[in-house]
Amino acid sequence: MSQASNSITKKTREAGDAADEYYIGLRRLEKTLPKWTYFDPAQYDRELKAIWYKEWNYVCRAEAIEKGSFRRHAIGDQDVLIVRDEQGNLRAFHNTCRHRGSRLCAAEEGSLSNGNIVCPYHAWTYALDGKLLGVPGLSLPPDFEKGAFSLFPVAVTVWRGFVFINFDSAAVPNFEPFGARVATLASWPLEELKLAHSYSVNVACNWKIFWENSSECYHCPGVHPELSKMAPIVGRGIMELRQDPNWQENQHKQHPRFQGGIAEGMKTYSLDGQTKGEPFPGLTEEDHRTGFGFRTNWPSVLFGANVDFVRALRVRPLGPEQTEISLEFFFSEENLANPEFDPKHNIEFTRRVVDQDISICELNQAGLRSMAFESGVLMPSENYVHAFQEWVCSRLG
Ligand code: FES
Ligand SMILES: [Fe+2]
């Protein structure tokens, strides 16, 4: 995230009557964003320009783009082409030809013929560094210089095996954890993970609705009965000790109802809470006690890590009231090679929880249209929803 991301945290903290109010819970009645921000097309457009075209967007795993192949990624009305050059470096460009603006690659992914990018319209040919190599035709304008017609670059970076792009070609990679869920995942071997399963769902809600839902556990006791058993603090409607209004009294109680972490006797997010494989080597005792970690990189990805698997939940806006949610499930190579190990055991549990979130997000979106409703209010444990909304506002200026 860019430097400016962190300034909201600061602003909110300084504005409060306690230095760490942001982390404890809201102490005053805060309103939500006005309802129209969740369905107004002009607002959606403003958010694309101010947020989605300025922040780092998660695309896919680095190994998914091999030498000589390409992958497209669209956000709003912008389309990016990501390629890997002969030296193994990733490059990203606007998927638009410099001749008359044709889209260069139409397929979602594929391999590049002759290792170059060739426009399907008049066959202008570009090298994988974006330089214009060839212009067919009987003659060229006298002052035509190929060097002036390279593809428009898009910033691309890899964070621990995950590819991110940014339309702001001057953006500096900065993946400090920020937001509601900030586990560093330092002891998880993210670089070595292997993809076992992925799926995408189109959800009938504004992208902000999805992030707001992911920023609180006020909804968890009612919406996620299985998760509430697995992570007892969630069953109390909070995500962490500091959201407990009695946290000072409760901070020394070791039960996961107070400290967070996975329920006693449970090891991972799976249908029975048990793991059928080996946990990742290198996890700390604390990682095993907690059993899971979450890390948010607004606006495009939420990483969830358990002792034997990791998932990336990618968010992509498709329209004011349409959002694509994509999930990827990663495991260790060793567990996937073990015939006794069945990744479905973990996947099914997560899918159930995500499906519950999707249903409630769609219901939230549907209710906003009421002519009687203007905006809602936030409860103390929805402090990270407030932080998210502040972040959105700061981006919009
Ligand atoms: S638009 Fe690409 S070569 Fe003409
Ligand atoms: Fe949820």
Side-chain angles (χ1 to χ4, degrees):
M1 314 292 289
S2 64
Q3 284 298 322
S5 303
N6 301 323
S7 67
I8 306 178
T9 319
K10 253 199 207 114
K11 198 176 108 208
T12 311
R13 282 165 141 187
E14 284 163 9
D17 54 357
D20 51 3
E21 177 188 41
Y22 175 82
Y23 294 105
I24 294 175
L26 296 170
R27 292 204 184 137
R28 46 179 189 258
L29 191 64
E30 292 285 353
K31 281 190 176 177
T32 61
L33 298 174
K35 67 172 179 185
W36 56 266
T37 64
Y38 298 94
F39 49 75
D40 177 56
Q43 173 69 12
Y44 174 71
D45 201 47
R46 276 194 289 277
E47 290 171 359
L48 285 177
K49 291 192 175 96
I51 297 171
W52 288 90
Y53 300 161
K54 294 258 191 271
E55 294 291 339
W56 290 95
N57 284 278
Y58 171 55
V59 179
C60 63
R61 284 288 286 182
E63 61 270 19
I65 310 172
E66 294 171 354
K67 274 187 196 169
S69 71
F70 72 88
R71 179 174 279 242
R72 272 180 59 205
H73 189 67
I75 299 162
D77 57 5
Q78 299 302 303
D79 212 90
V80 181
L81 189 59
I82 307 159
V83 299
R84 190 181 288 283
D85 67 19
E86 275 310 305
Q87 288 70 45
N89 301 314
L90 290 174
R91 308 264 191 172
F93 307 101
H94 286 261
N95 188 9
T96 291
C97 180
R98 292 296 309 269
H99 174 219
R100 275 169 49 207
S102 169
R103 184 162 282 179
L104 294 161
C105 292
E108 288 298 313
E109 56 190 315
S111 51
L112 296 159
S113 56
N114 298 328
N116 292 322
I117 302 165
V118 182
C119 178
Y121 200 170
H122 313 93
W124 280 30
T125 300
Y126 302 87
L128 298 189
D129 62 1
K131 287 204 182 76
L132 179 60
L133 291 177
V135 179
L138 298 178
S139 63
L140 298 177
D143 48 356
F144 182 82
E145 285 196 34
K146 278 194 208 149
F149 294 94
S150 298
L151 295 178
F152 297 113
V154 170
V156 60
T157 195
V158 177
W159 178 80
R160 303 199 58 196
F162 297 92
V163 177
F164 287 78
I165 57 108
N166 195 323
F167 290 102
D168 178 357
S169 55
V172 178
N174 177 359
F175 292 95
E176 290 304 306
F178 173 76
R181 316 261 184 126
V182 296
T184 64
L185 309 185
S187 38
W188 268 267
L190 300 187
E191 294 82 352
E192 288 143 40
L193 299 173
K194 297 286 168 241
L195 179 69
H197 181 67
S198 64
Y199 70 92
S200 293
V201 193
N202 286 357
V203 184
C205 75
N206 181 270
W207 68 275
K208 299 191 296 302
I209 289 284
F210 190 84
W211 277 122
E212 289 171 6
N213 177 68
S214 302
S215 302
E216 49 93 356
C217 254
Y218 190 34
H219 71 277
C220 295
V223 173
H224 301 304
E226 299 87 355
L227 181 65
S228 295
K229 279 198 200 117
M230 188 74 81
I233 198 167
V234 156
R236 297 174 62 219
I238 55 177
M239 293 198 292
E240 56 193 20
L241 174 71
R242 307 271 280 185
Q243 289 178 324
D244 181 344
N246 300 318
W247 71 271
Q248 276 158 313
E249 283 159 47
N250 291 333
Q251 62 184 318
H252 301 298
K253 296 182 183 161
Q254 287 312 310
H255 196 277
R257 272 171 61 75
F258 304 104
Q259 297 302 324
I262 203 152
E264 268 172 60
M266 304 283 187
K267 293 192 167 54
T268 186
Y269 283 9
S270 66
L271 294 174
D272 62 2
Q274 304 306 312
T275 174
K276 295 206 187 288
E278 292 298 318
F280 293 117
L283 297 185
T284 63
E285 239 172 70
E286 176 66 9
D287 293 332
H288 280 280
R289 186 193 67 73
T290 312
F292 56 85
F294 286 98
R295 172 189 176 107
T296 306
N297 284 83
W298 289 332
S300 73
V301 67
L302 171 64
F303 294 107
N306 286 71
V307 297
D308 55 354
F309 79 118
V310 172
R311 59 226 170 267
L313 185 154
R314 191 184 71 187
V315 177
R316 187 153 64 146
L318 300 179
E321 297 182 84
Q322 278 290 322
T323 301
E324 179 197 67
I325 300 299
S326 302
L327 272 120
E328 294 173 311
F329 294 85
F330 302 98
F331 295 82
S332 69
E333 201 166 3
E334 293 73 27
N335 277 350
L336 289 178
N338 174 0
E340 305 286 298
F341 183 77
D342 182 4
K344 270 205 222 97
H345 192 61
N346 301 99
I347 294 167
E348 287 307 311
F349 179 84
T350 301
R351 182 152 194 158
R352 196 175 289 178
V353 175
V354 173
D355 285 351
Q356 291 162 345
D357 280 323
I358 286 174
S359 300
I360 210 70
C361 285
E362 291 189 331
L363 212 55
N364 191 169
Q365 183 75 28
L368 294 171
R369 291 279 186 170
S370 160
M371 66 171 86
F373 181 84
E374 283 307 324
S375 69
V377 291
L378 296 173
M379 296 296 101
S381 64
E382 293 175 297
N383 51 329
Y384 290 119
V385 179
H386 180 60
F388 171 73
Q389 295 184 345
E390 291 266 292
W391 179 81
V392 169
C393 292
S394 76
R395 284 294 177 276
L396 293 167

